[in-house]
Amino acid sequence: MRKDWKLHIIVLFFVFIGEAIGVKQFNLGVGTVALFPMLYVLLMGGIVSFPKLKWMNEVQMKKAAGILGISFMLFVAKLGSMLGPSLPKIFEAGASLAVQEIGHVIGTIIIGLPIALLLGMKRESIGATFSIDREPNLAIISEKYGADSPEGRGALGVYICGTVFGAIYLALLAGFLGSLGIFHPISLAMGAGVGSGSMMAAASGALAVTFPNDADDIALFAAAANLITTILGTYICVFFSLPVTARLYEWLEPIIGRKSKEAEK
Amino acid sequence: MLEKTKVLALIGFIAIVGNWVGYDVSPIVALPGIILIVLFTIIGLGLNTLIPKMPAVVWISLIALIATTPIFPGNEWIVEKTGKINFMALATPILAYAGLSLGKDLESFKKLGWRIVVVSLVVYTGTFLFATLFAEIVFKLQGRF
């Protein structure tokens, strides 16, 4: 704790600057891109932790990742306090909440696996596309195939991409899709309830910026969707996502897989 | 646990500063709310050590949820106080810590092939888009909007 005070001071400083800049929206013609404090602080953090600068060492960065988990808990507590008074509203949307979870689960596989195969990936594609590959999913895949298997490497690859640009990407995607006006903010909020803390925070934040009048409902339904994913996620992965992805791989690979044997690292 | 409590209090402090700068809520007004939120988190973490089968975040959500439902004594006061904290103000520190931990994965990221980068983009798009699409379809079928 004493050794981490630098981290907290930096974060306090970032938050101060980020919140002072506030929300900026840019019109791209077809839709808008929303920039907001969460993205600024993420970027500032990325610069400070940039390895070449040597401002932070590996241990400090790992510490920051640990504190990230703790700070997510406070966010969850806040969201929980919004859920309590709105339970009737949540139950009313029960059918959508249940079905969106199916979307979260198969959305990664349905378009992920065919594209991975078309790009020439082999068994890596199973690990890469059976889930969004956060920590719990990594544990599942290394238990089944081993961390150093092709499947494990595929999962780790997506995991690393997730830490590096997952939150930024989902924030931009959510804000952009929202601004197109095709989907209702509540449906988008459920989409934002993905199983990763920083991705969910960033995506629901982007939606709240895009639809300021629905900000509370967005937080509410993103939280509900995320809670379902957190509770059911592991079971769904073990008993559904992973076996189904492996099966689909066996079936699709001979059809659309590239002939060349080059393996993706 | 004491260690975690201190960290939680510190992040809570950072959040009310952000809440002040970004959402014009004075830290004095926000203080009871953030204390409650930290309290829910600590109780949730405590229950998680007793019954670890359920993830800590689920416990924490459950505690905060129960404390704000109409059956809980004093729920109106709790809802009012926690309502002073903008949820975005609590999310900003998460991303700041995420940014500060980013460097550790940058080396391994550079070693990844372009294919896995493309596939990960597709995977994130897929999970977001399909969940949104499915929710929307059900709402439309129910005639909600």
Side-chain angles (χ1 to χ4, degrees):
Chain A
M1 165 91 184
R2 287 229 176 78
K3 281 179 262 162
D4 305 335
W5 64 270
K6 263 192 211 158
L7 281 177
H8 298 294
I9 299 261
I10 297 172
V11 168
L12 177 65
F13 180 66
F14 283 177
V15 166
F16 190 90
I17 307 241
E19 296 288 0
I21 301 173
V23 176
K24 304 268 178 240
Q25 269 175 310
F26 296 95
N27 202 326
L28 292 185
V30 272
T32 58
V33 168
L35 302 182
F36 52 106
M38 278 184 240
L39 298 185
Y40 314 145
V41 299
L42 180 65
L43 214 65
M44 289 188 255
I47 293 168
V48 169
S49 75
F50 199 74
K52 280 253 163 62
L53 293 174
K54 295 208 164 76
W55 285 346
M56 287 177 72
N57 58 41
E58 194 82 14
V59 180
Q60 289 170 317
M61 293 184 208
K62 285 217 171 101
K63 271 276 167 65
I67 303 170
L68 185 171
I70 302 177
S71 65
F72 182 62
M73 290 172 186
L74 283 179
F75 181 61
V76 162
K78 162 66 193 171
L79 294 178
S81 75
M82 296 169 83
L83 286 171
S86 318
L87 281 182
K89 218 182 200 172
I90 305 278
F91 285 126
E92 259 175 53
S96 277
L97 270 171
V99 174
Q100 65 79 31
E101 180 61 21
I102 302 172
H104 268 313
V105 172
I106 65 169
T108 63
I109 309 168
I110 281 190
I111 44 176
L113 187 63
I115 289 181
L117 289 174
L118 286 172
L119 289 174
M121 280 171 76
K122 296 294 166 195
R123 297 199 68 86
E124 285 85 355
S125 60
I126 297 176
T129 66
F130 86 108
S131 73
I132 60 158
D133 290 313
R134 299 323 296 166
E135 284 86 349
N137 316 107
L138 282 188
I140 292 166
I141 202 115
S142 47
E143 199 168 291
K144 175 106 189 252
Y145 295 100
D148 215 24
S149 61
E151 292 85 350
R153 280 199 305 273
L156 190 65
V158 174
Y159 170 83
I160 292 166
C161 290
T163 8
V164 174
F165 59 72
I168 277 213
Y169 177 70
L170 272 168
L172 297 178
L173 179 73
F176 183 74
L177 269 180
S179 72
L180 293 181
I182 307 169
F183 298 112
H184 193 277
I186 304 293
S187 310
L188 289 159
M190 291 183 188
V194 282
S196 146
S198 50
M199 289 184 204
M200 175 217 177
S204 50
L207 290 173
V209 168
T210 313
F211 305 100
N213 296 332
D214 298 304
D216 279 356
D217 276 351
I218 287 165
L220 207 60
F221 285 100
N226 183 268
L227 202 55
I228 296 174
T229 305
T230 312
I231 296 171
L232 299 179
T234 314
Y235 303 101
I236 294 178
C237 263
V238 172
F239 297 110
F240 178 82
S241 313
L242 192 50
V244 165
T245 313
R247 265 291 172 78
L248 276 176
Y249 174 84
E250 302 297 344
W251 176 61
L252 276 176
E253 205 277 328
I255 308 173
I256 57 170
R258 292 257 202 93
K259 290 276 181 299
S260 63
K261 285 279 173 227
E262 55 164 336
E264 174 71 15
K265 281 263 158 75
Chain B
M1 199 69 197
L2 186 71
E3 179 80 21
K4 268 195 183 145
T5 308
K6 280 189 203 160
V7 176
L8 286 170
L10 244 164
I11 301 167
F13 171 74
I14 295 172
I16 57 172
V17 171
N19 204 38
W20 185 25
V21 180
Y23 305 93
D24 290 325
V25 183
S26 128
I28 298 158
V29 176
L31 194 64
I34 200 72
I35 291 174
L36 284 166
I37 288 170
V38 170
L39 203 66
F40 298 151
T41 312
I42 293 168
I43 298 170
L45 281 171
L47 284 168
N48 177 243
T49 50
L50 289 178
I51 310 165
K53 269 260 171 211
M54 217 153 80
V57 285
V58 176
W59 277 120
I60 296 164
S61 305
L62 204 64
I63 297 300
L65 191 155
I66 292 169
T68 49
T69 42
I71 51 152
F72 195 81
N75 68 83
E76 275 170 10
W77 183 81
I78 297 172
V79 171
E80 194 222 313
K81 293 301 169 197
T82 52
K84 297 276 186 253
I85 317 285
N86 191 298
F87 84 97
M88 299 274 273
L90 268 172
T92 308
I94 305 175
L95 276 299
Y97 291 109
L100 289 175
S101 70
L102 210 141
K104 76 180 164 58
D105 289 314
L106 226 49
E107 281 307 311
S108 3
F109 178 70
K110 276 193 221 149
K111 289 185 199 126
L112 293 176
W114 64 271
R115 288 184 184 85
I116 194 85
V117 176
V118 173
V119 169
S120 66
L121 287 174
V122 172
V123 162
Y124 299 138
T125 312
T127 193
F128 182 84
L129 197 63
F130 272 71
T132 304
L133 189 69
F134 282 27
E136 183 88 12
I137 290 172
V138 174
F139 278 132
K140 282 262 156 70
L141 288 176
Q142 292 176 324
R144 284 290 169 79
F145 39 75

